[in-house]
Structures are given as C-alpha cells and as structure tokens.
Amino acid sequence: MTKEKESILDVKLFKRLFQYIKPYKGVFFGLLILVVLLAIFSSATPYITKYAIDESIETKISTDFLFYVVLMFVVLILQTVFQLLFIYYAAWLGQNLVMDVRVKLFNHLLRFKMKYYDNSSVGVLITRAVTDMERIADIFGQGLFMIVRDLLAMVVVFGVMIYINWRLSLIVFLMLPLLLYATRIFQKYMKRAFEEVRNEVSNLNSFVQERITGMKILQLFTRETIEYKKFKTINERHKKGWLKTVWYNSIFFPLADLVSSISIGLVAWYGGLNVVLDGAVSQGDLIAFIMFIPMLFRPLRQIADKFNTLQMGMVAANRVFKVIDTTSQIDDTGTYVAEGFKGDIKFDKVYFSYVDDEEVLKGISFEVNAGDTVAIVGATGAGKSTIINLLNRFYEIKDGVISVDGIDIKDVTLSSLRTQIAVVLQDVFLFADTILNNITLNHPEITEAQVQQAAKDIGIHDFIMSLPNGYHYNVKERGVMLSSGQRQLISFLRAYVTNPSILVLDEATSSVDSYSEQLIQNATDKITKGRTSIVIAHRLATIKKADKIIVMDSGDIVEQGTHEELLKKKDGYYKNLYEVQFLQEEVI
C-alpha cells in the first residue's frame, strides 16, 4: 500500500476542498471564532464550581455564592447560544460547499464523451453525484469543525487543570498516551474499513439500479432466483464491510470509557487522601478535576467518532474529484459558429474504433448534397449508427475529415454544430415530464403555440390532444405511459420544432401498430422535405424515396447509388439484401 494511501488525512485533498470555501470565507472565519469561544467556555463551569466550593461552601461563607450561581447561569446561556450558532453554520457551510461541488460535477458529466458512459456504471455515477456528496457535506457539518473544537477544548482544559493543581493533572496525563495510541490505531484501520464500505456501496447501487432498469428482461427470462442470489452475495460483502467498522468501534469506545473511569478513580483516591491528610488538594480542586476528566477524555473519544465521519467524507471527496479530474470531453476548440447550414456533408477517409485495434469504420468516404435524403442500409454492426454518432461529434474520429458545407466539423463550435443537426433515434428517451417539456426540452425560445403548429404540420396534433391534459400530459419515467410508436412521434416533433439544417433519422417501426407507422411515415416525409437527411433505413418506402443509398458491410461502404441503380448490379450486396429482407416487406 502506498504511503499516500496510508496517510490518515490527505493534505492535497483538504487544500482542494478549501478552494470551495472562498465564497463563504466570512462564515468560515466566524465558525473559527465560535470554536475558540466554545473551547474557552467549556472549562468555565468546573472552574466556577471550584471557587464556589472553596470560597463559599468549604468556608461556610455564602456572601459570594449567589454571584457564582448567576455567573454559571450566564456562562451556560452563552455556551448554548454559541453552540447553536456553531452547529447551524457548520452545517450551512457544508451544504453550500457541496452544492457548488455537485453543480460542478454535474456540469462536467454533461460534457463527457459518450465513450465515458459506455464504460461507466450508471449506479456508480449516481452514488458519486448523490450519496458521496452528502458525505462531503459531513466533513464540515459534522467532522472537521467538530474535531477542531474538541481539540481546542482539550488544550484549554489541559491548561486549566495544570493551573489548578499540577499533581492531580499528572495523574490524568499519565493515562493519555494509552488513549492517544489507541486513537491513532483506530483511525488507521477505520480509514481502510470506510474505503471498503464505499466500494461496496457503489457496487450495491450499481447492481440495484441496473436490475430495476432491466426488470422486464429479468422476468421474461425467469432470472429472479439467480439475481436474488447475486444480490445476497453483494449485500453480504456490504454487510461485512460495515461490520468491520462496528467491530473497531466496539473495541475503541469501551476502551476510552475504561481509561476515563480509571483516571477518575485515581484522582478521587489521590485527591481524597490529600484532602483528608494534609489539605494539599482542596475540595473544589477535587470536584473540578472529577468534572474536567470527562471533558478531557470525551472530546478525544468524540474526535475518534467524528474522525469516522471525516474519513467517510474524505473517501467520498476523493472519488468525486476523480470524476471531476477525468478528461473525457470532446475538444471544443472550434471558432466557427454555425447559424445555419446548406447541408452539404462529406466523409473523407474516416477511420473510427470504439475499442483500440478494432476498427468500426475503415476509411469510408461519401458525400451528401444539400437537400438530399440519403439512406444507409446494411447488416447489424456494419457501422450505420456510428455515422450518426460521429456527425454529432459524440466520439472523436481516429483519422480522416468530416465536413459540412466544406467546413471541418472540428472547426465548428460544438453547441452550434449540434443545434443545426437534429437526431431521431431508434431508442427514444423521454423524461418524466410533460409532453411539451419533452418536446422543447425547456428551450426558452420555443413556445407552446409553436409546438402545436409544428404538431399540426406533421399530423400528430390530434394524437397529442387525445391524451389527458394534451401537451401537459406527464409521460412518467422513460415515457412508460406512451406506446413505442407514440414515443417515436414525440421524438419526430422534438426534432422538427428546432428547425434544423440537417436531420439524422434512425427509423424504427418494427414494434409499432399500423396507425402509428402511417403517422411516422407522414412525419418522416414532412420533416425531411427540403432538408439534408441521413436515414438509417428499416423500411422499403424510405429506401425507394432516397436520393442515394449507401450500403455498408463490416465498416466499409460496399455500394452507393439510387434504388434502381443498385438493383441493376448483378450479385450486388444491396440486391441480395433487398431480395432477402426488403422484398418480403413489399410482398406483405
């Protein structure tokens, strides 16, 4: 294990966290002042008690006794007020800090390449953005400031005890090294335990999230028993990780209580003998020390407890910053702001691979003229969807050039490029929101009136109005309240209202009813009219209407031409595909 990993606290990580405190430095320094005041007031009560006993009770002179009572009451009131302010603003600082970190993390996630999400677990990312963030808030709300307060309180108590009676102090301090050593060992092992716990929490979240999302598949293939056994195994590991922390706590805290009790016993024995025999220790000293000992040992015990919180927060912060430090964004270095394309598209010797040394596109070249509709056909895995991904720069190409209107898309700002290209995917994703918000995606410049007019243009207004609340119908998570055909229609409307220069369509009608398919066909005809369109074709009607057909096989373009031209090629790839797949559709 590396030295850095063995260290109890990561100084670099702390420095990085403190960068987020700068906007709230007023509150931060206010908390430091409260920490000092609380430390001073922590030893005031025993100190006042000592004088009340020595100067009023032991001497049987009650002249100043009321003064000491009132003074103690004032100290307790002030201590309560300072404690209230300290707890509130420590938590306030933690929540504001974590809000800023969470916003930065989410903004970072929004700009990651698709490749990052291809290789990442959704459950783990959710853990980073939600659960781990709360642990970071605890660093300041329940960890760091509490530890500083307790340490400072111990220093003050330590000084007051020596001032009152160094002999009694020596007895107490002889027990401290044992507890300090135990605390150090405890912290070391708790850090390892919490790292294990956080790993298992991530695994658990990831497993549950994926199984809930894919529940239909699990039930269709009767995997309930197998997945139940897997979950039990993961849950068992999670339990064992937490039980380690429980075991370390069950050893340390009783030991801390034992040392404190032994110290009180020794002070009572030694101090009591001195009170009786020679008066070297006053009754007030003895009572004060019996009050001071828990105040000295309890903070040390609490420090260890708060250190658990701090360790969990540090582990969580380390994981979150690893995501923030990940450089997986598309290089948005383009300077050309596209306000509208004619729509001339050119792929020039484009190479691409999702995995190194496994090329998906093998130097393909083709051109699409402005206003034309180009259909791309081929077997599964031929590279059709990859072309869509590359045109939108979801992935970086390995070699070659992709240009629109003669401009390399790398020279176009990412935002303006994607604004001019609308995509209708085969797998339609809808958010748990209204139909209107799923169409506009909360774009402030797209009004409901514009959406309704667009829906009328492509012939789906009546369908939407037939739903409860019409455009304000909530489709729930992933659009489960709509059929696959209805979701597809919503995605067509979403693309149409943005008035894009280029349309990319991944048609999907294999699982929709004939009525929805007719609406989709009408919508396709409407939104592709007069626009450059690239269509991954699944229907014969679309292919016949295309100005050009690109035929792909294993990452290569094997044929290009119109429907009639390609059918004339003897033993051509498209002709064989047409006879096997599309001709059957025509017959039906």
Side-chain angles (χ1 to χ4, degrees):
M1 191 173 291
T2 64
K3 184 177 180 180
E4 182 178 314
K5 193 171 183 180
E6 278 291 342
S7 63
I8 296 298
L9 293 177
D10 190 331
V11 177
K12 289 183 179 179
L13 193 58
F14 257 122
K15 286 182 178 178
R16 186 164 185 181
L17 281 171
F18 273 93
Q19 294 296 317
Y20 292 89
I21 290 179
K22 287 182 179 180
Y24 315 105
K25 59 184 178 182
V27 173
F28 177 76
F29 287 116
L31 283 168
L32 292 181
I33 293 172
L34 286 172
V35 165
V36 174
L37 291 173
L38 284 171
I40 294 172
F41 277 95
S42 65
S43 59
T45 301
Y47 194 75
I48 295 170
T49 302
K50 163 190 159 49
Y51 278 95
I53 292 172
D54 288 345
E55 297 184 14
S56 296
I57 296 177
E58 189 172 354
T59 60
K60 298 181 181 179
I61 300 173
S62 59
T63 307
D64 296 327
F65 189 71
L66 181 60
F67 167 75
Y68 289 123
V69 172
V70 173
L71 182 60
M72 189 177 297
F73 180 75
V74 171
V75 167
L76 289 174
I77 291 296
L78 289 174
Q79 191 173 7
T80 301
V81 172
F82 292 153
Q83 185 78 354
L84 185 151
L85 292 172
F86 171 76
I87 292 172
Y88 175 79
Y89 281 104
W92 182 92
L93 180 63
Q95 288 300 324
N96 276 276
L97 180 144
V98 84
M99 178 188 70
D100 293 343
V101 178
R102 184 186 280 122
V103 168
K104 183 171 183 177
L105 174 66
F106 187 72
N107 187 49
H108 203 60
L109 291 172
L110 287 173
R111 288 160 175 76
F112 275 153
K113 298 176 185 177
M114 289 300 107
K115 186 175 182 180
Y116 179 84
Y117 294 104
D118 294 340
N119 300 323
S120 300
S121 164
V122 175
V124 169
L125 291 177
I126 290 172
T127 301
R128 299 292 173 269
V130 181
T131 309
D132 284 343
M133 286 297 177
E134 292 306 316
R135 300 289 78 79
I136 294 174
D138 290 342
I139 290 177
F140 296 93
Q142 301 179 30
L144 181 64
F145 285 113
M146 300 290 188
I147 291 174
V148 173
R149 181 199 63 183
D150 291 341
L151 283 173
L152 196 56
M154 288 178 63
V155 171
V156 173
V157 169
F158 180 87
V160 174
M161 289 173 72
I162 292 178
Y163 175 75
I164 292 175
N165 192 300
W166 68 269
R167 292 184 181 88
L168 291 179
S169 300
L170 186 61
I171 295 174
V172 178
F173 300 152
L174 286 174
M175 301 299 296
L176 274 178
L178 174 62
L179 193 55
L180 288 171
Y181 178 74
T183 302
R184 173 72 178 179
I185 298 299
F186 173 71
Q187 292 169 346
K188 181 178 178 180
Y189 281 94
M190 284 301 289
K191 184 174 189 293
R192 295 178 184 174
F194 278 125
E195 285 176 348
E196 182 178 338
V197 166
R198 296 312 305 160
N199 277 328
E200 295 306 331
V201 167
S202 294
N203 292 336
L204 190 63
N205 286 349
S206 178
F207 184 89
V208 171
Q209 188 274 333
E210 288 179 351
R211 269 57 186 182
I212 290 176
T213 303
M215 189 59 69
K216 182 182 288 186
I217 298 298
L218 298 184
Q219 293 183 359
L220 279 171
F221 290 91
T222 62
R223 295 275 297 180
E224 294 93 337
T225 303
I226 294 173
E227 296 302 322
Y228 168 72
K229 290 178 179 178
K230 283 185 178 180
F231 181 76
K232 283 186 68 176
T233 302
I234 294 173
N235 209 30
E236 180 69 20
R237 292 202 306 266
H238 178 260
K239 181 195 73 174
K240 287 180 178 179
W242 270 112
L243 285 179
K244 282 185 181 180
T245 68
V246 174
W247 171 243
Y248 297 146
N249 282 322
S250 66
I251 294 174
F252 175 76
F253 291 117
L255 177 63
D257 290 337
L258 177 63
V259 173
S260 179
S261 299
I262 291 174
S263 299
I264 292 174
L266 290 173
V267 165
W269 168 74
Y270 178 79
L273 286 178
N274 278 274
V275 168
V276 174
L277 295 177
D278 57 14
V281 177
S282 71
Q283 291 182 24
D285 290 347
L286 186 59
I287 297 300
F289 264 76
I290 290 174
M291 295 175 70
F292 273 132
I293 289 171
M295 295 176 66
L296 185 66
F297 285 93
R298 190 186 306 119
L300 193 59
R301 183 185 188 279
Q302 289 176 341
I303 286 171
D305 194 19
K306 298 302 179 187
F307 197 88
N308 295 347
T309 301
L310 185 61
Q311 292 286 52
M312 290 185 70
M314 294 297 285
V315 171
N318 188 47
R319 294 178 184 278
V320 169
F321 284 133
K322 279 184 179 178
V323 178
I324 292 177
D325 291 339
T326 301
T327 54
S328 185
Q329 291 84 2
I330 295 290
D331 293 330
D332 190 10
T333 55
T335 56
Y336 179 78
V337 179
E339 297 181 355
F341 289 128
K342 287 192 303 178
D344 291 314
I345 300 171
K346 183 177 181 181
F347 276 57
D348 185 16
K349 298 178 181 177
V350 174
Y351 290 84
F352 174 76
S353 59
Y354 292 103
V355 180
D356 291 341
D357 300 325
E358 294 182 18
E359 288 186 337
V360 177
L361 297 183
K362 303 172 182 177
I364 67 168
S365 297
F366 67 88
E367 294 185 27
V368 181
N369 295 324
D372 282 358
T373 296
V374 172
I376 304 177
V377 299
T380 301
K384 304 186 297 296
S385 296
T386 300
I387 290 176
I388 294 176
N389 291 330
L390 296 183
L391 184 61
N392 282 276
R393 291 198 70 199
F394 287 138
Y395 300 86
E396 294 281 25
I397 61 176
K398 183 178 179 181
D399 198 8
V401 176
I402 302 174
S403 60
V404 178
D405 292 352
I407 303 168
D408 190 331
I409 60 172
K410 290 183 179 180
D411 296 330
V412 182
T413 62
L414 203 57
S415 177
S416 67
L417 173 70
R418 291 176 179 172
T419 299
Q420 295 302 318
I421 302 174
V423 180
V424 179
L425 296 173
Q426 181 175 348
D427 182 18
V428 179
F429 186 93
L430 298 181
F431 295 94
D433 205 336
T434 64
I435 286 179
L436 178 64
N437 287 339
N438 268 290
I439 293 168
T440 66
L441 296 178
N442 297 301
H443 195 295
E445 296 179 7
I446 301 177
T447 65
E448 183 173 353
Q450 289 175 311
V451 172
Q452 291 190 18
Q453 184 58 51
K456 291 174 182 177
D457 290 344
I458 64 175
I460 66 172
H461 174 73
D462 292 339
F463 141 64
I464 295 176
M465 293 305 296
S466 68
L467 299 171
N469 299 321
Y471 288 87
H472 297 279
Y473 178 62
N474 194 311
V475 299
K476 306 299 181 184
E477 187 174 359
R478 298 184 68 88
V480 294
M481 303 303 291
L482 301 178
S483 69
S484 58
Q486 290 171 332
R487 290 196 296 270
Q488 193 77 15
L489 289 169
I490 297 301
S491 70
F492 271 88
L493 185 54
R494 177 193 287 169
Y496 184 65
V497 295
T498 61
N499 193 28
S501 302
I502 298 170
L503 273 167
V504 182
L505 307 179
D506 189 354
E507 297 180 300
T509 57
S510 58
S511 59
V512 302
D513 57 83
S514 56
Y515 175 72
S516 295
E517 182 173 356
Q518 184 59 49
L519 287 177
I520 291 172
Q521 183 59 55
N522 293 338
T524 301
D525 294 342
K526 179 66 178 180
I527 68 176
T528 57
K529 187 176 181 180
R531 286 189 178 88
T532 302
S533 304
I534 297 178
V535 183
I536 295 179
H538 298 273
R539 297 193 310 276
L540 182 63
T542 303
I543 295 171
K544 284 185 174 180
K545 292 179 181 178
D547 298 295
K548 181 193 290 186
I549 299 171
I550 296 174
V551 187
M552 297 192 67
D553 181 39
S554 301
D556 283 316
I557 295 177
V558 292
E559 292 175 349
Q560 293 188 60
T562 63
H563 175 68
E564 291 76 14
E565 290 171 348
L566 294 176
L567 285 181
K568 293 177 181 178
K569 291 188 177 183
K570 186 178 181 181
D571 296 325
Y573 188 98
Y574 176 78
K575 183 178 181 181
N576 292 332
L577 184 66
Y578 171 77
E579 290 174 349
V580 171
Q581 180 178 342
F582 298 119
L583 192 58
Q584 292 179 3
E585 179 186 338
E586 188 175 37
V587 171
I588 293 172

